[in-house]
């Protein structure tokens, strides 16, 4: 299991850092660049899916019921939305950081150029992140150091991994709640659904709404 998890993490970071490879198109946000990045996402999720095929399922006693899990998945979307608002206000009013995110704006700009990229960042991205940051990192650490410390570490790495440092607090809060949801349900698909739904909402709203300072708080999670 350990070797398999190491390989999954390696493949994930190879995907994230793929624009740095020599074979990657050099023109940032060009059609070739975006199409190549999209293809890398699809290949990555296939490889990681194959690596995790032998994964044993958690004991039934460690998982919530299907009804509870579905409730968590649906209600979690709204909870994430509220947490984003609260964290954004604290980040802006107390820490003085901007409401809008250049990181997300750049991703949405790429999505407008190549619509298939929307699926890559809205669905495949969250699936990969939940596997790496919640299932592997948080899940493995929790067995050793307990929920609180493992959730903090996982959320910090999750936040730093977005390279959107003015909004670290927002990503940290999101990551911590996703750790809690996975801890309570024992089903990684629950957090995948929450994460993908929120990413989709962010992308669609950002593509169709003229953002102002009062709507900038919808501009994270990707």
């Amino acid at each position: 299991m350990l070797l398999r998890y190491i390989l999954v993490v390696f493949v994930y970071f190879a995907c994230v850092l793929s624009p740095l490879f020599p074979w990657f198109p050099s023109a940032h946000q060009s059609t070739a660049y975006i199409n190549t990045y999209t293809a890398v996402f699809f290949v990555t999720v296939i490889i990681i899916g194959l690596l995790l095929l032998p994964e044993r399922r958690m004991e039934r006693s460690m998982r919530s019921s299907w009804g509870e899990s579905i409730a968590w998945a649906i209600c979690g979307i709204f909870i994430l939305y509220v947490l984003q608002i609260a964290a954004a206000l604290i980040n802006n009013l107390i820490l003085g950081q901007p409401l809008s995110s250049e990181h997300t704006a750049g991703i949405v700009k790429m999505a407008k150029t190549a619509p298939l990229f929307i699926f890559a960042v809205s669905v495949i991205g969250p699936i990969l992140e939940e596997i790496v940051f919640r299932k592997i990192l948080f899940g493995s650490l929790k067995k050793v150091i307990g929920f609180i410390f493992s959730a903090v570490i996982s959320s910090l790495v999750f936040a730093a991994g977005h390279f959107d440092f003015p909004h670290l607090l927002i990503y940290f809060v999101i990551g911590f709640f996703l750790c809690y949801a996975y801890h309570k349900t024992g089903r990684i698909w629950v957090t995948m659904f929450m994460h993908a739904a929120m990413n989709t909402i962010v992308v669609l709203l950002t593509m169709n709404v003229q953002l102002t300072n009062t709507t900038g708080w919808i501009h994270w999670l990707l």
Side-chain angles (χ1 to χ4, degrees):
M1 181 185 295
L2 178 60
L3 176 59
R4 186 162 60 247
Y5 282 178
I6 292 174
L7 288 173
V8 168
V9 172
F10 176 80
V11 171
Y12 170 76
F13 280 104
C15 169
V16 173
L17 299 175
S18 59
L20 301 178
F21 296 166
W23 52 265
F24 210 91
S26 57
H28 185 62
Q29 293 194 343
S30 65
T31 301
Y33 178 99
I34 298 170
N35 288 337
T36 301
Y37 211 0
T38 302
V40 169
F41 268 95
F42 277 90
V43 171
T44 300
V45 77
I46 292 172
I47 293 174
I48 289 180
L50 293 174
L51 286 172
L52 292 178
L53 275 180
E55 186 75 9
R56 294 179 180 178
R57 294 183 178 181
M58 298 177 66
E59 295 295 332
R60 290 185 181 275
S61 60
M62 300 174 63
R63 297 182 298 178
S64 62
S65 67
W66 276 99
E68 186 179 350
S69 298
I70 292 172
W72 264 98
I74 296 174
C75 294
I77 300 171
F78 299 98
I79 295 173
L80 280 175
Y81 200 70
V82 172
L83 288 175
Q84 282 195 51
I85 297 173
L89 290 175
I90 293 172
N91 202 47
N92 178 252
L93 298 177
I94 298 179
L95 302 180
Q97 297 298 333
L99 284 170
S100 61
S101 167
E102 293 183 5
H103 167 75
T104 304
I107 290 177
V108 171
K109 183 178 179 180
M110 293 169 67
K112 289 181 178 179
T113 304
L116 190 58
F117 189 68
I118 298 175
F119 184 79
V121 298
S122 297
V123 179
I124 296 180
I127 290 174
L128 296 176
E129 289 179 346
E130 292 310 307
I131 290 173
V132 172
F133 296 111
R134 251 63 69 182
K135 179 179 177 60
I136 294 179
L137 182 57
F138 167 70
S140 299
L141 288 176
K142 188 176 71 167
K143 298 175 183 178
V144 181
I145 59 178
F147 168 76
I148 294 295
F149 290 110
S150 56
V152 168
I153 293 172
S154 171
S155 302
L156 285 173
V157 177
F158 172 72
H162 285 79
F163 302 101
D164 190 3
F165 298 108
H167 303 105
L168 283 178
L169 175 64
I170 300 168
Y171 288 104
F172 176 84
V173 170
I174 291 168
F176 196 93
F177 175 72
L178 289 170
C179 285
Y180 181 71
Y182 181 47
H183 170 70
K184 294 294 291 184
T185 64
R187 299 180 188 273
I188 195 62
W189 68 261
V190 171
T191 59
M192 287 178 177
F193 180 83
M194 292 181 193
H195 197 157
M198 277 305 307
N199 269 26
T200 302
I201 291 171
V202 168
V203 170
L204 294 180
L205 284 178
T206 308
M207 290 180 69
N208 292 283
V209 176
Q210 182 65 42
L211 293 177
T212 66
N213 287 335
T214 56
T215 60
W217 49 266
I218 66 173
H219 221 194
W220 305 285
L221 188 60
L222 298 172

